[in-house]
Amino acid sequence: MSLLEIRDLHVSYPNRKGEFFAVDGVDLTIEQGEFVGLAGESGCGKTTLALSIPQLLPEHSRIAAGSISFNGVDTTALNEEGLRAIRWKEISVIFQGALNALNPVQTIGSQIQEPIRIHDESVSKKEAQDRTLELLEAVGIPSHRASDFPHQFSGGMRQRVMIAMALSCMPKLVIADEPITALDVMTQAQILDLLRSLCDKYKLSMLLISHDLSVLAQTCDRVAVMYAGKVAEQGPTSRVFGSVGAQHPYTQRLLRAYPNIRHERKFIDGIPGYPPDLSTLQVGCRFADRCDVALSRCATEVPDLIDIGGNQSVACHLVSENQVGVQ
Amino acid sequence: MSEKFSLSIEDLHVSYQLSGSAGKNKIARAVDGVSLQLHPGETLALVGESGSGKTSIANAVMRLLEPTSGKILLDGVDLVPLQGSELRAMRRNFQMIFQDPFESLDPRQRVIETVMEPLEIHGIGENQEQRRDLALAALAQAGLRPAADIGDRFTHQLSGGQRQRVAIASAIILKPSLIIADEPVSMLDVSLRAGILRVMADLRDQLGVSYLFITHDLSLAWMFADRIAVIYLGRIVEEASAVDLIENPMHPYTKALVSVIPVPEAIEGASRTILSGEIPSPSSIPSGCRFHPRCPLFRELGEPEKCLNEDPLLQISAKSESHLVACFFSDPSKGDTQ
Ligand SMILES: Nc1ncnc2c1ncn2[C@@H]1O[C@H](COP(=O)(O)OP(=O)(O)OP(=O)(O)O)[C@@H](O)[C@H]1O
Ligand SMILES: Nc1ncnc2c1ncn2[C@@H]1O[C@H](COP(=O)(O)OP(=O)(O)O)[C@@H](O)[C@H]1O
Ligand code: SF4
Ligand SMILES: [Mg+2]
Ligand SMILES: [Mg+2]
C-alpha cells in the first residue's frame, strides 16, 4: 500500500457562475520515503491539490469528487476530530509564503515546541524540549539559539525554523509549498539539501512544490507537472530528466523557459499566452491553444493520463498516438 | 582616457549609518571599492546574493543616494559632483527599470500619461500631440500592442508582464544610452520572462542601449549578458565574459555559485559546493579576504595567513586579460602570487 493515493480528485472554488475546478480529476501517489516534486505555472492548482491532502483548504472550497487515501484512511471522509489526529502527527505543511508567519514575540524554541505540546499529549515537557533542541541541530541551527526571536534570524534561518516545526510531531508526510522561492541561490541550495537529507534520515515522504523544474530534477525521486487543474505528466526524475526525457509539450515548454548552462547558450523561450480561465467549460486539451504541435482532435477530446512505461505517464494525444504507433 | 565607456564606475564606496539598538554608531560599508566599466551597447550583469550591494550601486548611479566616495562617469562626465539642472540634463541618458512592476507605477495614471511624463519633464516634443505619438511608438516598441488601446488603460488594469513593459517603454522614451535593470524579471512568472528579456535585447540591437543588468540568477546573466561581474559583500570578486565565467570560474565563491545552478538533469551526486553559513553583515566585514570565513579553498590550503591578513585586489588573471579575479590562490597558472 502506498502512503498516499489520490484518485480522480476534484476540488472547486465558488465563482459568479457557481463553481470552478482548481483541481480537476487528479491522480497522484506517494510511496513511503519518496520525495515527489510538483511543478506548473502560477494558478495551475498546485497549492489547492496539496492543501486538500490534510483538508486544510479554505472553507468555501469543496471536494466535489474523488478520494484521498492516506495510510489506508480516506481523509475526505474524516471529521474534525479525525483530522486533528493526522495533522502535524501524520502530515505537516510548510505553507507558501510562510517565512514571515512566525510569531514575532515568541522564541523560536517555544514555537517549535508548541505543536508537540498541543498535538502529542503523550510527550512530557522535558521530552518536548529535548526534541526541540535536537530538531534545531538537525536543521542546522545551533541549539543555544532556541531562546532567540524570529527577527534575529535571516530568511534562510527562518525557513529552517519552519522546517523544524513541520518535523516536530514526527509526521510521515511533509508538504513544502514553494519553500525556497524568496531565498537566495546559495540558501536555496542549502535548504533543498537539508530537505533531501531529512527525508532520507527520518524516512519521510515529501511533496515539494516549485515552479522551477530544475530544482525538482535535482532533489526529487519523482515529479508531477500540473496544468490547469490536471496532471499533464508525471514520472521518475531519472526518466523525465534523463533517459526518456519530458514527453508532454507543456513540460517541454516549461524546460525551455529557463536557461540551461549545460546546453548551448541561446535565448530562453517563453510560453505564449496564459493558462486558461478555469471557470470556462473544458473541451479538449487545456493546453491546446498554447501548444505548437497540437493535433485537430486536441481541440475537442480531453486526453487521458496514459502510462507510457517505467511509471511515467503523459496526458497528450500526440504522445499516445506515437505510443500506439510503436506498439 | 583612451577608451570610451558608456559607464565607468571608479572605486565607488557607499556606506550607511546604522541606527537602532543593535547597530548604534555602526557603519555598513555596503559598497566597498567597486570599479566597473561598460562599453557602448554592452550588457554587463552584476550578480550577487541579496545584501551584496547591487541595489546600492544602482541607486548611486541613478543618484538616488550620495556615494561616500568614488566617481561615476557617464559618457566621460562625472555625475557625482553634478546637481540640479546639470544633473537633470544628464538624466536623459540613463534610466532605470525596477524589480517590482507593481510598485514602480502610479496606479491612478493612465499608461500613456506615465510614458509621456519623461518627455514633459525634459521638454521634448513640440506639443502634446507629438509627445503622444512618441509615447505610442515606445509602447509598441516595448511589445504593447495595440499601443493606443493599452495606452488608454490605467496601470492597475494591466498584468505583471504588461506593467514591466510599460516601465520599459518609460525607460526608453528618452533614448538613453544606458539602462540599469534591477532584477527586471524576478517577480514575473516564467512564461512571461522571455518576452520581457526579448524586448530588452531588441532595444540593445536596434538602439545600441547598454545595460547594467542586476540579478541574483547566474544562469539568466549567462544567457543575457556579454560580461558578468560577481559581487560579494560590497566587492567585485570576479569578472569575465559571460561564457568564460560559467565555463571557467576561478574565484572559490563563483565556483560554488556556478556549482549550485539548478539544471534540469537528474545527475546523481553532481559535485555541488554548498557553502555553509550566510553572507556576513557589511557592518562587520571579515579581516583580510572578506570571503575567508566561508571559503572552501582557504580551508583546503590549511588556512593561510595571507587570506586572514591581506585584502586581495581584483586583478587580471594569468589566463586572460579580460578575466579578473580577487583571490590570492585561485589562479593556478600564476602559482602562489607571493
Ligand atoms: N481561496 C481561494 N478562493 C478562490 N479561488 C482560489 C483560492 N485559492 C486559489 N484559488 C484559485 O484556484 C486556482 C488554483 O490556485 P492555486 O493556489 O492552487 O495555484 P498554484 O498552482 O498553487 O499557484 P502559485 O504557483 O501561484 O502558488 C487559481 O485559479 C486560483 O485563483
Ligand atoms: N537605506 C539603508 N540603510 C541601511 N542599510 C542599508 C540601506 N540600504 C541597503 N542597506 C544595506 O546595505 C547592504 C547592501 O544592500 P543592497 O545594496 O540593497 O544589496 P542587494 O541589492 O545586493 O541586495 C545590505 O547589508 C543592506 O542591508
Ligand atoms: S584569498 Fe584566500 S580566502 Fe580569499 S578567496 Fe582566495 S583562498 Fe579564499
Ligand atoms: Mg501555490
Ligand atoms: Mg537589491
Side-chain angles (χ1 to χ4, degrees), chain A residues 41-42 154 157 184-186 190 193 214 218 237 241 255 258-260 262 265-271 274, chain B residues 49-50 159 189-191 194 197-198 216 219 222-223 225 243 262-267 272 274-278:
Chain A
E41 275 166 283
S42 191
S154 66
M157 296 291 261
D184 255 310
V185 252
M186 193 53 73
Q190 290 173 350
D193 201 46
S214 317
Q218 299 197 322
T237 28
F241 304 104
L255 287 170
Y258 289 91
N260 183 345
R262 296 278 168 79
R265 180 169 174 252
K266 60 171 193 277
F267 223 86
I268 48 170
D269 280 327
I271 309 176
Y274 296 93
Chain B
E49 290 175 82
S50 103
S159 73
D189 212 2
V190 269
S191 48
L197 292 170
R198 177 64 77 187
H216 63 268
S219 61
W222 167 76
M223 182 209 79
V243 172
V263 285
E265 284 167 31
I267 7 162
R272 299 199 295 162
I274 299 178
L275 299 175
S276 54
E278 296 176 340

Side-chain angles (χ1 to χ4, degrees), chain B residues 12 29-34 51-53 231-236 290:
Chain B
L12 183 71
R29 297 189 341 247
V31 181
D32 197 27
V34 163
S52 56
I231 182 168
Y232 184 78
L233 204 50
R235 204 51 93 65
I236 306 296
R290 61 195 59 212

Side-chain angles (χ1 to χ4, degrees), chain B:
Chain B
M1 217 178 12
S2 55
E3 231 175 325
K4 188 178 178 300
F5 294 117
S6 169
L7 172 72
S8 175
I9 297 172
E10 296 176 9
D11 200 24
L12 183 71
H13 289 256
V14 175
S15 309
Y16 299 102
Q17 177 79 50
L18 298 183
S19 49
S21 56
K24 205 170 272 168
N25 297 327
K26 271 197 179 163
I27 286 178
R29 297 189 341 247
V31 181
D32 197 27
V34 163
S35 300
L36 288 172
Q37 274 81 34
L38 195 53
H39 295 278
E42 189 187 34
T43 298
L44 172 67
L46 183 59
V47 177
E49 290 175 82
S50 103
S52 56
K54 305 180 299 293
T55 298
S56 298
I57 292 174
N59 287 344
V61 176
M62 292 310 293
R63 290 294 305 270
L64 297 171
L65 58 79
E66 278 310 303
T68 313
S69 64
K71 285 186 180 156
I72 299 168
L73 302 164
L74 195 81
D75 297 323
V77 181
D78 189 0
L79 298 179
V80 176
L82 297 188
Q83 298 289 342
S85 59
E86 280 180 319
L87 182 62
R88 230 171 297 129
M90 288 295 288
R91 277 299 291 270
R92 281 186 63 164
N93 300 327
F94 57 109
Q95 297 292 324
M96 184 145 172
I97 300 167
F98 294 92
Q99 172 171 8
D100 191 346
F102 297 91
E103 274 182 8
S104 62
L105 298 174
D106 181 348
R108 289 155 310 179
Q109 252 182 345
R110 282 188 200 275
V111 168
I112 190 87
E113 293 162 3
T114 304
V115 181
M116 283 165 68
E117 200 169 78
L119 296 175
E120 283 155 20
I121 293 173
H122 290 277
I124 297 168
E126 310 259 303
N127 49 37
Q128 216 46 9
E129 201 75 13
Q130 218 176 58
R131 283 193 275 272
R132 209 186 141 74
D133 289 345
L134 287 170
L136 289 175
L139 285 172
Q141 216 163 6
L144 290 166
R145 298 194 184 100
D149 235 45
I150 298 204
D152 264 346
R153 294 199 212 160
F154 287 97
T155 51
H156 71 259
Q157 294 169 321
L158 302 178
S159 73
Q162 289 173 324
R163 284 181 222 212
Q164 199 56 296
R165 285 170 191 253
V166 173
I168 290 174
S170 315
I172 59 170
I173 191 141
L174 295 172
K175 306 221 179 321
S177 57
L178 169 71
I179 292 178
I180 298 177
D182 192 355
E183 304 269 13
V185 296
S186 65
M187 305 278 284
L188 301 175
D189 212 2
V190 269
S191 48
L192 300 174
R193 287 182 190 179
I196 299 291
L197 292 170
R198 177 64 77 187
V199 164
M200 290 176 62
D202 287 347
L203 291 170
R204 177 166 67 187
D205 300 341
Q206 291 158 14
L207 307 177
V209 178
S210 357
Y211 286 108
L212 182 60
F213 182 76
I214 298 179
T215 177
H216 63 268
D217 184 339
L218 206 41
S219 61
L220 206 60
W222 167 76
M223 182 209 79
F224 190 74
D226 302 307
R227 263 188 313 137
I228 299 176
V230 178
I231 182 168
Y232 184 78
L233 204 50
R235 204 51 93 65
I236 306 296
V237 296
E238 184 161 3
E239 188 186 321
S241 80
V243 172
D244 195 23
L245 189 109
I246 297 295
E247 283 176 7
N248 309 299
M250 294 177 87
H251 195 282
Y253 179 59
T254 317
K255 280 188 172 166
L257 283 183
V258 171
S259 82
V260 301
I261 295 175
V263 285
E265 284 167 31
I267 7 162
E268 278 303 319
S271 58
R272 299 199 295 162
T273 308
I274 299 178
L275 299 175
S276 54
E278 296 176 340
I279 184 167
S281 156
S283 63
S284 51
I285 295 177
S287 71
C289 173
R290 61 195 59 212
F291 184 57
H292 85 256
R294 300 176 76 195
C295 180
L297 185 58
F298 170 67
R299 253 168 289 134
E300 200 179 296
L301 294 172
E303 315 204 343
E305 286 286 319
K306 202 172 167 80
C307 303
L308 290 167
N309 302 323
E310 292 174 44
D311 196 353
L313 296 176
L314 187 66
Q315 283 179 330
I316 291 173
S317 68
K319 214 182 77 238
S320 152
E321 214 173 282
S322 58
H323 197 138
L324 312 180
V325 58
C327 165
F328 298 120
F329 300 106
S330 68
D331 192 349
S333 47
K334 266 191 181 175
D336 185 358
T337 53
Q338 293 288 348

Side-chain angles (χ1 to χ4, degrees), chain A residues 60-241:
Chain A
H60 56 277
S61 68
R62 186 172 79 93
I63 293 189
S67 64
I68 302 171
S69 157
F70 180 82
N71 229 353
V73 177
D74 187 353
T75 65
T76 64
L78 290 174
N79 59 15
E80 267 310 306
E81 198 182 338
L83 288 171
R84 249 198 315 274
I86 64 158
R87 289 181 192 151
W88 292 99
K89 283 193 286 190
E90 303 279 333
I91 306 173
S92 66
V93 181
I94 300 165
F95 290 95
Q96 182 169 17
L99 269 187
N100 301 313
L102 288 164
N103 182 345
V105 296
Q106 196 182 359
T107 66
I108 58 135
S110 84
Q111 292 189 64
I112 295 170
Q113 242 178 84
E114 202 168 83
I116 312 178
R117 310 270 300 145
I118 293 175
H119 300 278
D120 207 344
E121 279 141 16
S122 64
V123 176
S124 73
K125 188 163 184 188
K126 175 77 176 66
E127 280 169 329
Q129 268 165 1
D130 290 348
R131 196 191 288 172
T132 299
L133 299 183
E134 185 201 315
L135 281 169
L136 276 176
E137 296 282 348
V139 298
I141 298 177
S143 53
H144 71 261
R145 297 208 59 186
S147 51
D148 286 351
F149 292 91
H151 75 264
Q152 293 167 284
F153 292 85
S154 66
M157 296 291 261
R158 287 204 298 272
Q159 192 59 278
R160 289 172 192 267
V161 173
M162 301 302 297
I163 293 169
M165 211 187 284
L167 296 183
S168 63
C169 297
M170 307 190 189
K172 296 194 180 69
L173 172 67
V174 174
I175 296 168
D177 193 353
E178 302 267 9
I180 60 164
T181 302
L183 303 174
D184 255 310
V185 252
M186 193 53 73
T187 316
Q188 292 193 350
Q190 290 173 350
I191 296 291
L192 289 173
D193 201 46
L194 174 67
L195 287 175
R196 180 77 239 190
S197 67
L198 290 171
C199 185
D200 297 342
K201 179 173 171 188
Y202 295 111
K203 310 258 177 309
L204 288 170
S205 302
M206 183 94 63
L207 180 63
L208 172 66
I209 300 179
S210 168
H211 56 267
D212 186 348
L213 275 171
S214 317
V215 160
L216 301 181
Q218 299 197 322
T219 322
C220 301
D221 303 314
R222 206 152 52 78
V223 290
V225 178
M226 270 185 95
Y227 186 74
K230 285 185 177 302
V231 173
E233 175 161 14
Q234 72 82 31
T237 28
S238 58
R239 277 179 65 101
V240 178
F241 304 104

